[in-house]
Structures are given as structure tokens and as C-alpha cells.
Amino acid sequence: MSTDRISQALQDFVPDAYQGSDEYLDIITWNVRFFNDLDPERVRIVRQIFEELNADIFVLQEVAEGSLDGIADELTQRGAGFYETIYGLSGGDIRVAFLYDTEWVRATTEPEELFAEDSPTVQVGRVRKPVFPRYPLQTRFVALSAPGSPEPPFDFHLVGVHLKSQRDSRRGHRSEEQRTAAAKLLAEWLQNEAVDEDVIIAGDWNASPFQSEWEVLRNLEAAGQLRFANWNHDSEGSHFFSSGYSSRLDFIAVTSQVQGVETLQERSKVINWNLLLENGVSQSLREQLRSKISDHLPVLTRFYFTESDRDEEVVEPPSESVEFPSVAVLGSVKIVAANVNPAGKEAGHETVTLLNLSPDTVDLSGWGIRDRLGRQHSIEDLTVPGGETVQVVLKARTAQLSNRGGSIILVNDRDDEVHSVTYTGQQASKQGWSIAF
């Protein structure tokens, strides 16, 4: 029997209602607390948590530069997504970072740190201190629509923050001035630099949304320009102490222009570690959780894609003669099945089954199988006799068949589409089962 009590306790801690789906955009903010890649066991546990949460974007705090790169590679190898990383430039070993799944979101601008050029300071007692210990990290993303969805992608700015800690306050030193100044700068940026933009701000704010520091942001909320305090409830603590006391320091704010903001879940949701924080859990395990993983909990906001009108695309007939491959080739080979969710490790074990409907042998050398994002597995030295099937095993880091639904496209050696199929996340939910088309 395993003695890894933390990993056992973490199993199935994600509520079913918040599992990844092709109908949502999931953004999670989490302070991972002094995270680096020096402790292999801690890295393994954190990677497991990322895999279970399966968010489209993680906004992370207290991360050492480069420490997420190995996790991103392993998530890809395990078929959990195609994750990329972005790190802030400031903060030393405790930076702000983004970990995002390129299968569902793409960064469309170079990341930058807000206010870094101005290096703003504020008077605290007799000295001036930096407003931001780590500058807010921001870039622009595009969220991709689900396969077959009539909804176009939508763009948004994502800003990751990790504002001044209250630790100095507990030592008798004031810190609210820095957070107050940070709130004013963020509000000015929203009103002057990000006008008519869709903006999501996520991170560790280091003070409850109802504290005085955030008055300027609550004023924007009262004016209908921001979702802030009213749906980041104090009743759900995101930071906890060994004594069991918790406070809400981690939350997500969105401008009211964000597509889907009217159909957000009723509040941002703290993901609790099952029963770990409830009565009856041993103090030793509670302290293991704090010391091994983090004293902060992930906070999830799910954005539902809203309906929008879009004119149908009119395809004009070609005005010039086009050379087509033979009709026999185009119509003779079909995709008839796929195992998109194999048991165990997925990368390098997903399969696509092809059927040759014709009586003649077809040479598939130079053909390819693509996923919905255009990633291609190239077929080499393979023929399929007339009336028979052949199973193609997709190599890792080529086409990837998402468990959240997708499309499979067969192209010939001239890059012409021969056949394509689509499948849903529900069809892919049975591990080890093949989907018949």
C-alpha cells in the first residue's frame, strides 16, 4: 500500500462541474509558493495537480524562471495538452508566470510587464518603496472555438499580478500604501490604456477584495465597468494557515466587456483539496500540504462562450481550372475509427484506423493525419490492400487527438484532403475505447 498520503488525498479533488470541456475557457490563478524544480517529488505532485485541473491557462505566482518547462514537456508527453510557458522578468526566484494550453489558447502578442518603464514608487512612512515587488505580467491571448462550433475565437488581455504581501504589516511595517497605489495604477490603465478591451486580471492580490486598498476598483465595479468584489467571496478562503484560519487573497477580476461575462459562473471558485482543510484531517498532513505544495489554493473562473451571429461564409466556385487527384484515390480511403483516449500514457499510443473501400491496393506513403490545429503525423512506407483496414499509430509530438473533442483529417501526398471526421468530448470520455465513424 502506498505511503504517499498527499497524492492519495489529492485524487479526485476537482469537482466534476469544473472539469475541462470544449465549451468553456478555464483560467486558474495559483500561488505555488517558492516553486522551483530542485525537489523532484514536489515537482511530480505539482505536475499531477496541473494535469488534474487541466485548465486552459494557469496564472502562477512565486515561480522560478524555467521551473515550469519540464512540467510543460511532461504534460505534453502524457497527452494532457500542449502547454507553453511565459515568465515575468522581475521578482527573482518568485516571478509571475503563465502556463497555457496552445490547443485551446494562443498568445498573440509578446508578453510585457506593465509599469516597468516608469518604476513607480510610493511614500511609506519616511521612505519611498516600489509599488510593485513584481510588475504585472500581461499579454494578449486568443481563445479558440470548439471543433464544429459556430462561435468565432475571441481576444482578451490577460494580466497576472502578485501584489505587495502583508508580511511586513504583521511585523509592524505598513504595506497597504503599496497595494493602494497598485490598485490606482491598474484602474488608470484599465480606463486609459485598455479602453474597449477585454481584460482579465488574475493573481495573488494579498488582501481581501473588501479591504480599503481596492476602493478604486470597487468604484469601477459600482459603475458597471468591472467584476471584482461581488463575485470573489470572502467566505471561501484561498490562503490558509497551520492554525486552520483562512483568508481570501487570490482572485480574478474581469472588465464588463469580456465576452461571456454575463454567463460566468456566479462567482470565481476556490478549488478545495477534498477534505484536507476540513475537521478530522490530521495536523501532520495539513502541515505536509502547506510545506510540500503551497499554503494557497487554486482559484478557478470558467468563461462560457456566448452565442453570436455570424454570416455564413459563401464559397465561390474556382475561376480557374484546378488539377484534382484521381476520384478513385479521393473516395477510396476513409477514416473509420480512432482511439483518442488510450489507456495509460496517451502520447505515442493514439491510433487512427483507415479503410480502403476500393479493390485496389493504395500506397499511403507521404500521406498524413492532421488534428484540428494542423499538427500532422506523416505516414511512411505503408500500403493498404483493397477492402482491408490499417491502423496508424500517431507519433508523440505530431498530431494529437484531444480528449475534449476535435477533428481528424486525412490528406494525401499532394496535401489534398481525402477524408475528415469530428468527434465530441463525450465520445472521447471512455478510456481505451475506440470511436467508430
Side-chain angles (χ1 to χ4, degrees):
M1 184 174 180
S2 172
T3 58
D4 184 358
R5 297 182 61 205
I6 293 179
S7 294
Q8 292 177 26
L10 288 174
Q11 290 178 2
D12 302 324
F13 64 82
V14 184
D16 290 342
Y18 299 109
Q19 293 287 352
S21 167
D22 55 5
E23 298 178 357
Y24 315 105
L25 172 69
D26 285 347
I27 296 179
I28 286 177
T29 180
W30 187 23
N31 183 328
V32 202
R33 191 185 184 188
F34 305 134
F35 183 76
N36 56 47
D37 55 6
L38 300 181
D39 182 348
E41 177 63 9
R42 187 181 186 215
V43 171
R44 182 189 68 80
I45 294 173
V46 170
R47 190 270 305 155
Q48 177 190 354
I49 293 171
F50 286 145
E51 187 171 356
E52 288 287 335
L53 293 175
N54 192 30
D56 301 300
I57 304 177
F58 293 92
V59 181
L60 304 168
Q61 302 87 47
E62 296 199 14
V63 171
E65 184 180 16
S67 61
L68 298 170
D69 296 349
I71 287 179
D73 289 342
E74 190 167 356
L75 289 172
T76 298
Q77 289 290 337
R78 295 174 63 86
F82 277 81
Y83 282 94
E84 296 287 345
T85 56
I86 294 175
Y87 301 91
L89 299 177
S90 58
D93 291 334
I94 50 173
R95 306 186 185 203
V96 177
F98 298 147
L99 178 68
Y100 62 99
D101 186 356
T102 59
E103 190 164 16
W104 298 100
V105 290
R106 303 284 180 83
T108 57
T109 60
E110 290 296 318
E112 65 172 346
E113 291 187 320
L114 296 178
F115 317 116
E117 291 185 1
D118 298 329
S119 302
T121 60
V122 64
Q123 192 73 29
V124 181
R126 296 182 178 181
V127 299
R128 294 198 69 82
K129 293 186 177 182
V131 173
F132 298 100
R134 297 145 294 266
Y135 292 110
L137 177 64
Q138 77 97 13
T139 192
R140 193 174 184 86
F141 283 96
V142 57
L144 305 177
S145 304
S149 170
E151 298 301 322
F154 77 91
D155 296 337
F156 61 96
H157 279 290
L158 179 63
V159 181
V161 297
H162 185 190
L163 302 183
K164 177 60 181 175
S165 169
Q166 295 188 47
R167 289 191 184 94
D168 286 351
S169 300
R170 293 195 292 271
R171 299 187 185 109
H173 303 291
R174 299 168 64 180
S175 61
E176 61 270 20
E177 287 91 342
Q178 288 155 283
R179 292 189 296 276
T180 301
K184 290 179 179 179
L185 287 171
L186 287 169
E188 291 172 1
W189 180 79
L190 287 171
Q191 292 177 295
N192 300 323
E193 303 295 330
V195 179
D196 297 327
E197 297 284 355
D198 299 337
V199 181
I200 300 169
I201 306 175
D204 181 355
W205 300 68
N206 263 313
S208 160
F210 295 95
Q211 286 185 213
S212 60
E213 291 97 311
W214 316 126
E215 181 179 2
V216 65
L217 296 175
R218 291 196 298 271
N219 289 341
L220 290 182
E221 183 172 45
Q225 300 178 39
L226 193 67
R227 291 285 186 94
F228 184 69
N230 288 339
W231 60 296
N232 288 290
H233 288 194
D234 253 348
S235 59
E236 287 188 313
S238 63
H239 172 260
F240 58 98
F241 303 89
S242 57
S243 63
Y245 172 76
S246 64
S247 58
R248 184 63 180 268
L249 305 182
D250 311 86
F251 43 92
I252 297 175
V254 299
T255 57
S256 296
Q257 295 95 338
V258 169
Q259 179 173 346
V261 72
E262 295 304 324
T263 52
L264 288 170
Q265 60 182 71
E266 65 181 23
R267 66 175 188 262
S268 59
K269 175 72 176 176
V270 176
I271 299 177
N272 209 322
W273 308 120
N274 270 355
L275 305 176
L276 290 181
L277 305 181
E278 297 183 7
N279 294 331
V281 175
S282 70
Q283 185 67 26
S284 61
L285 180 56
R286 192 189 300 264
E287 187 55 38
Q288 269 190 292
L289 177 64
R290 282 173 39 83
S291 61
K292 196 72 175 180
I293 305 174
S294 178
D295 54 353
H296 288 253
L297 300 175
V299 175
L300 166 71
T301 296
R302 169 163 288 175
F303 295 83
Y304 293 83
F305 291 96
T306 57
E307 296 182 0
S308 62
D309 295 327
R310 184 172 65 169
D311 295 334
E312 287 191 17
E313 182 180 1
V314 178
V315 180
E316 298 291 340
S319 57
E320 301 177 358
S321 61
V322 179
E323 179 183 359
F324 291 99
S326 67
V327 174
V329 173
L330 276 178
S332 63
V333 182
K334 301 286 188 182
I335 302 168
V336 294
N339 188 346
V340 306
N341 187 8
K345 185 177 180 180
E346 293 195 7
H349 294 83
E350 296 169 332
T351 63
V352 175
T353 303
L354 306 176
L355 170 64
N356 180 6
L357 298 174
S358 77
D360 303 315
T361 297
V362 174
D363 185 3
L364 300 178
S365 300
W367 289 37
I369 294 174
R370 292 178 183 159
D371 60 22
R372 73 181 190 93
L373 297 181
R375 298 178 296 235
Q376 178 166 318
H377 167 87
S378 297
I379 301 174
E380 301 174 357
D381 300 324
L382 183 64
T383 59
V384 53
E388 296 189 14
T389 61
V390 63
Q391 189 178 76
V392 180
V393 180
L394 304 183
K395 294 179 180 178
R397 295 187 177 274
T398 61
Q400 183 185 24
L401 308 183
S402 171
N403 297 343
R404 296 165 63 180
S407 57
I408 309 171
I409 303 166
L410 177 66
V411 296
N412 62 19
D413 55 358
R414 291 197 287 189
D415 209 34
D416 301 302
E417 182 176 318
V418 176
H419 189 219
S420 65
V421 295
T422 61
Y423 62 94
T424 66
Q426 183 177 5
Q427 289 177 296
S429 62
K430 292 184 178 180
Q431 191 173 51
W433 285 62
S434 292
I435 301 170
F437 301 107

